[in-house]
Amino acid sequence: MSTDLEELATRAGRELEEATAQEILRWAADTFGSRLCVTSSMADAVVAHLAATVFPGVDVVFLDTGYHFAETIGTRDAVAATMPVNVVTLTPKLTVAEQDARYGPRLHDRDPDLCCSLRKVEPLNRGLGGYDAWATGLRRDESPTRANTPVVAWDARRRKVKIAPIARWTQDDVDDYVNANGVLLNPLLWEGYTSIGCSPLSCTAKPGEGESGRAGRWAGSGRTECGIHN
Ligand code: SF4
C-alpha cells in the first residue's frame, strides 16, 4: 500500500507541478477523500479556505502546543465557527505544567528540539495516523530550506502523501487571494509578525527591517524548522 502511495505521490508531484492550487487540491480530494486533511498553524486560513472550496467539510488539523498566542487560538475558533471545515485540534501528551515538572521550566529556551519534539512532532505524527495524505501551507519563497518544496511528495518518515498546494505562490499571491476572498487572518499579522508559532520570544519574534518572513522564528539560534517539515 505504501509503495503504491509513494509511486502515486512521485507521479503527481511531476504531473501537478504547473497546476493551480485548486487543481492540486481537487486531485487530492478526488484521490483521498476523507483520508485527506489540511494542517494549519492559524497564521491565516488560506489553505483551509482553498481546501474548503473543493472539499467542504475537510478536516483542518491544528496543533495546540499549549504555548500559542491568544490570537492564534481565536483564529482557530473563528475558522471553526465560520468556515465549512472540520477543525481537529491535536494536543501533546503532556500539559505545559506536566512538561515543566518533568523537564524543568522554559524547555523551549534550553532545548527547543526536545520541546518541539514533545509538543509538535509527536502529536502531529499521532494525529496523522488516520490519514493517507496531508496538505500544508508551505511555500518555496518562505525560506531557503523550503525553496525546493514539491507540490506533491512522499513523506517517507510518516509514510503519507504530503501536498503543498501553494508551494509556488509568492506573498503577493497570498495577499491577492486573501483580499479577493476575505480570508481570515491572525490579527498578529497587523502587529508586524510575519510567521506565527509559539508565543515564547525565543520561538516567535517580529522580524527586523528587511529580514525574511521566517527570520523571527527561533531568531539567533540558527534553527529554522521545528521538525515537522525537516
Ligand atoms: S515552537 Fe517553542 S514553545 Fe513551541 S513547541 Fe517548539 S520550542 Fe516549544
Side-chain angles (χ1 to χ4, degrees), residues 103-230:
Y103 296 98
R106 304 189 69 79
L107 184 62
H108 44 78
D109 290 349
R110 295 178 288 106
D111 191 345
D113 287 344
L114 178 57
C115 188
C116 277
S117 171
L118 293 166
R119 311 205 74 73
K120 289 187 168 185
V121 179
E122 188 284 327
L124 181 72
N125 292 351
R126 183 163 32 93
L128 289 181
Y131 303 98
D132 287 332
W134 61 304
T136 77
L138 292 180
R139 298 200 329 263
R140 293 173 187 169
D141 76 341
E142 289 180 298
S143 66
T145 56
R146 297 185 175 187
N148 297 316
T149 301
V151 294
V152 182
W154 177 239
D155 177 354
R157 186 158 40 127
R158 300 180 182 87
R159 308 197 69 71
K160 313 272 174 213
V161 178
K162 187 174 179 182
I163 302 155
I166 62 169
R168 291 166 50 238
W169 284 25
T170 64
Q171 185 61 51
D172 284 346
D173 294 327
V174 173
D175 294 344
D176 290 347
Y177 187 84
V178 166
N179 292 332
N181 296 282
V183 175
L184 277 165
L185 296 176
N186 190 315
L188 292 173
L189 294 174
W190 286 285
E191 294 183 22
Y193 290 93
T194 50
S195 176
I196 302 165
C198 292
S199 60
L201 189 59
S202 56
C203 303
T204 303
K206 298 175 189 177
E209 188 72 32
E211 287 186 320
S212 71
R214 286 183 59 82
R217 304 299 298 280
W218 308 285
S221 70
R223 195 168 192 263
T224 57
E225 299 283 350
C226 65
I228 287 177
H229 299 299
N230 59 332

Side-chain angles (χ1 to χ4, degrees), residues 42-103:
M42 298 299 166
D44 62 54
V46 169
V47 176
H49 189 280
L50 279 161
T53 61
V54 300
F55 188 11
V58 64
D59 283 356
V60 173
V61 170
F62 172 70
L63 264 173
D64 186 353
T65 64
Y67 275 116
H68 281 300
F69 293 95
E71 290 88 342
T72 301
I73 299 300
T75 304
R76 186 270 316 264
D77 292 346
V79 166
T82 64
M83 292 175 57
V85 297
N86 177 42
V87 173
V88 177
T89 296
L90 305 178
T91 54
K93 287 182 176 164
L94 300 178
T95 65
V96 170
E98 288 168 343
Q99 178 171 296
D100 286 355
R102 187 174 303 182
Y103 296 98

